[in-house]
Amino acid sequence: MDASVVHELFTDDGRALLASLPPYEEKNVVMLTTRLRAAGHSPELVAAALTQSRLRARAVDKFGDAAAAMFFTPDALEQATRAPIARLHAQRFLDAGASLVIDGGCGIGSDAVGFARAGLDVIGVEADPETAALAAQNLASFPGSRVVTGRVEDVAASLDQAGAAWWFDPARRTPGVADIRGRTKRTFSLAALTPTWELIQHVAAAAPAAGAKLSPSLAHHDVPSGCEVEFVSYAGDVVEASVWWGAAVRDVGRTATIVRPRPGDSRSSGDRVPPDVLHVIEADFDGIDAAPASRSSLGPYFYEADKALTRSGLVGALLDATGGHEFTPGHGYVTADALVDIGLLGRAYRVLDSVPLHEKTLRAYLRERAVGRLTIKKRDVDVDADALRRSLKLKLKGSNALTVVLVTLNGERLALVVEPL
């Protein structure tokens, strides 16, 4: 987006144009574009305003009602931290005694806004001038916050202040390289981060408190000694691995933080209904190693661990809660004899049946039960679930719905037929 157009959006006329737009609907874009140009607005400003309208509509899922007054870029919105999780980050720094956070690589300011709303002063650092301008607007209503345009590598020394905490959300995109949907391609390599992983560690180790938001695929052995790595899930999906240093560390080692929106808060902003949150720490559950599942231990209940538990290696919390046995260690599928309330640890199912995982056998089983809608879950079985579903659906014409879980038991592949509880 051209810098002059970005700043034109911030003028009274630009804001009035944005405020005049109806709720975004793709089918109305051509008509709106024609009408706005006819009213005398430049093509560039119209395109920028409609882009912001589209991004704001998409951002409601992360920011709730606040999205209506924020500014975004497509890549920055994709990487932006959800408002409820940004509040958890802010609470870390508050608990660590911080009053000022330097946000290195602030993007459009999703975490910075969360810090500011929690009462922290913020200095955001953003290398891209247009994105920095958007971040400055998103932080404009917080007097103790500002944005510096520049690379963290170039400005870190001049910004560092005694007692300041640091937060890093390094760029995890490869500039100039797009994925199949046209978005900047994501990288999962620590060596490709901007600012560099080496600089992040150097600055963080010297700060009284620091944190860095990294990819959920972060390997456990890449976590620096003495730090805490927190694998965070939201509504069942792992969204980040945060590494914490200094006073921001609550428990050295691996932590799973499970964040689940409460019923009725489908927009996930957390501004209306705070989500439920559970922290599971390594010291409590690492090393719990029940015997693996076997035919004799196959119980009437099936539990699916939240993915934060599997990524952190803390499925032991679910084994401890259920007294169950895991099918394949580390994958979070557990069989148990008793139905217990596992809270946020995962989901519980009743096992209705088990079928050998052979396509013809499974198809016949489903046809006999008039199944037309099939949900397939799998974590440790080398099967293309989508291809299997398509193949089975070719001859499934019934009206009933069924869920099957693909597991390995004593070397045999099975389809467990389950119903959610």
Side-chain angles (χ1 to χ4, degrees):
M1 189 184 300
D2 183 79
S4 62
V5 178
V6 168
H7 288 282
E8 194 172 349
L9 282 174
F10 306 151
T11 65
D12 290 342
D13 288 343
R15 292 178 185 276
L17 174 59
L18 277 170
S20 72
L21 297 178
Y24 185 84
E25 290 190 49
E26 190 69 34
K27 65 181 181 180
N28 295 333
V29 168
V30 174
M31 177 189 68
L32 268 175
T33 299
T34 302
R35 178 166 65 80
L36 294 172
R37 288 184 180 181
H41 300 290
S42 71
E44 294 78 13
L45 181 59
V46 170
L50 289 174
T51 295
Q52 285 304 313
S53 180
R54 173 173 56 84
L55 293 173
R56 285 175 171 183
R58 189 184 302 168
V60 169
D61 181 56
K62 287 189 171 184
F63 298 97
D65 297 339
M70 295 179 70
F71 293 88
F72 305 95
T73 68
D75 284 346
L77 176 56
E78 182 76 16
Q79 190 170 323
T81 303
R82 291 179 178 274
I85 296 175
R87 279 198 294 278
L88 294 179
H89 297 161
Q91 192 60 51
R92 281 265 186 175
F93 288 120
L94 290 172
D95 292 346
S99 58
L100 169 66
V101 179
I102 303 173
D103 187 345
C106 67
I108 51 89
S110 56
D111 271 302
V113 168
F115 299 153
R117 283 180 176 162
L120 294 160
D121 290 338
V122 183
I123 301 175
V125 182
E126 174 54 46
D128 178 71
E130 286 72 45
T131 304
L134 300 179
Q137 289 298 313
N138 291 335
L139 285 165
S141 61
F142 302 101
S145 299
R146 62 188 176 96
V147 177
V148 174
T149 303
R151 300 191 319 151
V152 175
E153 293 89 332
D154 299 331
V155 303
S158 63
L159 288 178
D160 205 3
Q161 302 179 33
W166 276 84
W167 172 254
F168 296 94
D169 187 355
R172 300 195 297 275
R173 302 279 181 175
T174 306
V177 181
D179 62 18
I180 59 174
R181 289 184 283 181
R183 300 178 304 185
T184 308
K185 190 172 182 179
R186 185 176 300 182
T187 178
F188 299 98
S189 170
L190 286 176
L193 297 179
T194 305
T196 67
W197 180 225
E198 289 74 18
L199 177 68
I200 291 171
Q201 293 180 84
H202 174 74
V203 173
K213 173 184 171 182
L214 302 173
S215 166
S217 63
L218 178 70
H220 295 176
H221 60 74
D222 285 327
V223 179
S225 176
C227 290
E228 176 183 355
V229 58
E230 179 186 24
F231 292 92
V232 182
S233 69
Y234 185 88
D237 291 323
V238 183
V239 294
E240 66 180 56
S242 294
V243 177
W244 300 98
W245 287 261
V249 173
R250 291 171 177 160
D251 299 281
V252 174
R254 290 171 278 120
T255 301
T257 294
I258 301 168
V259 184
R260 185 181 298 172
R262 294 182 183 179
D265 188 26
S266 60
R267 289 297 191 178
S268 79
S269 73
D271 293 327
R272 295 179 296 277
V273 184
D276 291 314
V277 180
L278 174 68
H279 300 287
V280 178
I281 65 173
E282 180 179 351
D284 287 344
F285 297 106
D286 189 45
I288 293 179
D289 188 21
S294 63
R295 275 289 182 184
S296 61
S297 65
L298 191 60
Y301 297 100
F302 170 80
Y303 295 90
E304 178 183 23
D306 184 272
K307 292 177 182 176
L309 295 180
T310 59
R311 279 298 300 123
S312 60
L314 297 177
V315 178
L318 183 60
L319 296 174
D320 182 65
T322 62
H325 302 269
E326 198 172 9
F327 285 94
T328 300
H331 286 81
Y333 280 176
V334 173
T335 180
D337 290 328
L339 176 63
V340 298
D341 181 4
I342 59 171
L344 301 186
L345 294 175
R347 294 195 64 185
Y349 301 79
R350 178 178 286 106
V351 178
L352 304 177
D353 210 342
S354 64
V355 183
L357 184 50
H358 303 302
E359 188 173 321
K360 290 179 64 176
T361 303
L362 185 55
R363 182 185 290 115
Y365 180 92
L366 298 171
R367 189 186 300 122
E368 288 174 5
R369 287 154 181 80
V371 174
R373 289 171 293 148
L374 179 65
T375 299
I376 299 177
K377 292 178 170 287
K378 69 110 180 182
R379 288 185 180 177
D380 67 328
V381 177
D382 187 17
V383 171
D384 186 330
D386 291 333
L388 177 61
R389 186 183 300 105
R390 288 193 299 269
S391 176
L392 292 170
K393 276 191 172 182
L394 290 176
K395 298 186 179 178
L396 294 181
K397 307 298 182 183
S399 59
N400 294 327
L402 205 63
T403 298
V404 299
V405 184
L406 310 185
V407 298
T408 301
L409 184 66
N410 291 350
E412 179 186 4
R413 300 193 305 178
L414 296 175
L416 298 183
V417 182
V418 301
E419 63 177 4
L421 295 172

